[in-house]
C-alpha cells in the first residue's frame, strides 16, 4: 500500500552542535520537511512511499531529490520548475535556551507553483493513503487549492487521507488557518494533532476537560477525540502530549483513538539531540501500524517510540529501522551497547 505525501522539502542550515547563529562560521547541511520526513520513515519501515512537491531543476534541487531517493522514497511525480529551494535555518537549543527557526522560503518552487500543475488522478493512482500537514496549505493560496483538490480526488478514488494539523504562526494567521483547515477535516480519515492546535485551529473547546501535568488526562484525551469525531466525523484521531522540561529534556506520550477504541503509549523521557522531525515520526509510526494491521495499542506504542528515538538523531529524517523502534516500543530503552 503506497502512501503519497505532499509538501515542501527544504534545505536546512544549522550551526554545528549547539552553537548560536552569531557564532557560526559554517553551517551543517541536510534536507527535510514535515511530509518528506514522514515519507522517509515509512520507507525505512519497508512501506512504499512517494513524495510530491515542486523543486528547481538545478543542482541544489537535485540534492533534495537525491536525499529522498537515498532512503527509498519515490520521486516520480516531483515537478522540476521554479528558481529556488526553500531554506530554513535552525539554531539547536540546549538546557533552558530554546531552539530557534528562521524561514527563507518565500518564492520557492512550490510557493510559485499553481494548483493545476498537479494531476492528482495520476499521482494518487494505486495509492492507499494521502498525507499532508497544515504547513502545506500555509505556503500559498495555490497550495490551499492543491490540497483541496488532492483531498477530493483521494475521496473519489477511495484513498484514505491523513493530516498532521501542524500550525506555523510564522506562515499564516490563526484566522486563515481556521478558514482553510476546518473544511478540509471533512475529508480526513486520520487526524494527528495536539490539544493546543485542536483548540485554536479546529475550535474544539477543551477548557472543561480534566488536566494533569499540563496535559489532558486519559479521560480528557478520549473526550477530545470524541468531540472531533462528532463535529468533523473523523474516524481516527492521534493526539501527542509533550511536557517540555527544558530544551534538552522532554517527556512524551501519545494516544490513538480509532472507531471508539482508545489506547495510550507509555511515557518516554528523552534527552534531545535534535528536536525537529519527532512529530513527523509519530505520524509515520501511526500510519505504519495502521497499514500493517496492528492493534491500536501496538500502533500507538510504536509511534511514540519512533518519536522518542528521532530526538536522538541529528537532521530531519528518522533513520531508525523498524526493529529498533519495536525494541523500544517493547520496553528496551536501556541504550546499552549492542555487540
Amino acid at each position: 500500500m503506497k502512501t503519497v505525501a505532499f509538501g515542501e522539502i527544504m534545505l536546512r542550515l544549522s550551526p554545528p552542535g549547539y552553537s548560536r547563529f552569531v557564532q557560526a562560521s559554517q553551517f551543517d547541511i541536510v534536507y527535510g520537511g514535515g511530509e518528506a520526513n514522514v515519507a522517509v520513515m515509512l520507507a525505512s519501515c519497508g512501506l512504499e512511499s512517494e513524495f510530491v512537491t515542486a523543486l528547481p531543476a538545478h543542482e541544489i534541487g537535485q540534492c533534495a531529490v537525491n536525499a529522498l531517493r537515498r532512503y527509498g522514497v519515490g520521486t516520480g511525480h516531483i515537478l522540476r520548475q521554479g528558481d529556488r529551494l526553500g531554506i530554513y535555518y535552525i539554531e539547536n537549543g540546549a538546557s533552558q535556551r530554546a531552539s530557534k527557526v528562521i524561514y527563507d522560503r518565500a518564492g520557492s518552487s512550490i510557493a510559485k507553483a499553481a494548483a493545476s500543475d498537479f494531476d492528482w488522478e495520476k499521482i494518487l493512482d494505486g495509492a492507499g493513503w494521502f498525507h499532508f500537514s497544515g504547513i502545506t496549505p500555509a505556503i500559498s493560496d495555490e497550495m490551499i487549492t492543491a490540497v483541496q483538490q488532492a483531498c477530493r480526488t483521494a475521496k473519489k478514488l477511495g484513498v484514505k487521507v491523513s493530516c498532521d494539523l501542524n500550525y506555523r504562526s510564522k506562515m499564516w494567521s490563526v484566522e486563515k488557518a481556521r478558514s482553510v483547515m476546518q473544511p478540509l477535516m471533512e475529508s480526513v480519515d486520520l487526524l494527528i494533532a495536539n490539544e493546543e492546535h485542536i483548540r485554536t485551529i479546529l475550535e474544539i473547546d477543551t477548557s472543561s476537560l480534566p488536566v494533569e501535568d499540563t496535559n489532558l488526562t486519559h479521560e480528557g484525551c478520549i473526550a477530545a477525540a470524541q468531540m472531533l469525531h462528532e463535529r468533523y466525523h473523523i474516524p481516527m484521531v492521534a493526539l501527542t502530549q509533550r511536557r517540555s522540561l527544558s530544551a534538552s529534556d522532554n517527556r512524551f506520550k501519545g494516544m490513538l483513538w480509532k472507531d471508539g477504541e482508545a489506547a495510550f503509549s507509555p511515557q518516554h523521557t528523552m534527552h534531545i539531540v535534535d528536536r525537529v522531525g519527532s512529530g513527523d515520526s509519530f505520524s509515520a509510526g501511526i500510519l505504519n501500524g495502521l497499514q500493517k494491521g496492528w492493534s491500536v495499542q501496538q500502533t500507538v506504542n510504536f509511534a511514540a517510540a519512533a518519536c522518542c528515538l528521532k530526538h536522538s538523531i541529528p537532521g530531519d529524517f528518522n533513520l531508525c529501522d523498524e526493529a529498533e523502534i519495536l525494541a523500544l516500543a517493547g520496553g528496551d530503552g536501556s541504550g546499552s551497547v549492542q555487540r
Side-chain angles (χ1 to χ4, degrees), residues 1 21 41 56 65 93 96 133 136 162 168 176 201 203 220 227 244 257-258 261 275-276 283 314 320 323 326 330:
M1 184 183 295
F21 287 134
M41 187 180 135
V65 174
Q96 278 65 47
S133 81
T136 302
S162 62
R168 296 291 182 263
K176 183 72 175 284
I201 306 304
E203 297 184 274
M227 292 163 74
S244 182
W257 184 93
K258 180 184 177 185
E261 179 185 357
R275 173 74 172 77
V276 177
S283 296
C320 293
L326 284 170

Side-chain angles (χ1 to χ4, degrees), residues 6-10 32-36 51 53 86 105 108 110 136 139:
F6 178 48
E8 182 169 24
I9 186 169
M10 294 185 289
E35 296 85 358
F51 183 64
T53 192
R105 62 199 302 174
S108 67
I110 193 168
T136 302
I139 293 170

Side-chain angles (χ1 to χ4, degrees), residues 94-155:
S95 190
Q96 278 65 47
R97 176 170 58 84
S99 296
K100 290 187 177 181
V101 171
I102 298 173
Y103 290 125
D104 180 16
R105 62 199 302 174
S108 67
S109 289
I110 193 168
K112 293 290 188 180
S116 58
D117 292 336
F118 299 94
D119 183 349
W120 292 110
E121 294 269 357
K122 184 176 180 181
I123 293 169
L124 293 174
D125 183 37
W129 283 86
F130 170 70
H131 178 74
F132 74 100
S133 81
I135 298 171
T136 302
I139 293 170
S140 70
D141 286 347
E142 285 292 317
M143 288 306 100
I144 293 173
T145 303
V147 170
Q148 292 168 339
Q149 292 174 345
C151 288
R152 284 196 295 268
T153 304
K155 294 291 99 178

Side-chain angles (χ1 to χ4, degrees), residues 100-262:
K100 290 187 177 181
V101 171
I102 298 173
Y103 290 125
D104 180 16
R105 62 199 302 174
S108 67
S109 289
I110 193 168
K112 293 290 188 180
S116 58
D117 292 336
F118 299 94
D119 183 349
W120 292 110
E121 294 269 357
K122 184 176 180 181
I123 293 169
L124 293 174
D125 183 37
W129 283 86
F130 170 70
H131 178 74
F132 74 100
S133 81
I135 298 171
T136 302
I139 293 170
S140 70
D141 286 347
E142 285 292 317
M143 288 306 100
I144 293 173
T145 303
V147 170
Q148 292 168 339
Q149 292 174 345
C151 288
R152 284 196 295 268
T153 304
K155 294 291 99 178
K156 174 184 173 183
L157 298 177
V159 177
K160 288 185 169 61
V161 175
S162 62
C163 172
D164 185 341
L165 193 58
N166 269 335
Y167 171 67
R168 296 291 182 263
S169 61
K170 292 185 178 181
M171 296 183 69
W172 59 352
S173 68
V174 168
E175 292 73 23
K176 183 72 175 284
R178 285 173 176 168
S179 69
V180 172
M181 297 305 295
Q182 290 185 18
L184 284 171
M185 293 301 106
E186 298 174 6
S187 300
V188 171
D189 298 284
L190 167 65
L191 176 68
I192 305 109
N194 60 34
E195 186 266 338
E196 178 187 358
H197 290 165
I198 66 171
R199 175 170 40 82
T200 57
I201 306 304
L202 300 185
E203 297 184 274
I204 297 295
D205 184 5
T206 59
S207 60
S208 64
L209 300 181
V211 173
E212 181 179 57
D213 192 27
T214 75
N215 284 309
L216 295 176
T217 63
H218 285 193
E219 293 77 14
C221 287
I222 293 170
Q226 290 171 336
M227 292 163 74
L228 284 162
H229 177 68
E230 289 168 7
R231 181 177 300 183
Y232 296 106
H233 310 292
I234 303 170
M236 293 176 280
V237 175
L239 294 181
T240 61
Q241 294 193 306
R242 183 181 296 272
R243 176 76 164 90
S244 182
L245 306 175
S246 70
S248 299
D249 297 282
N250 283 190
R251 294 181 185 139
F252 181 88
K253 59 184 175 181
M255 181 206 76
L256 176 59
W257 184 93
K258 180 184 177 185
D259 299 324
E261 179 185 357

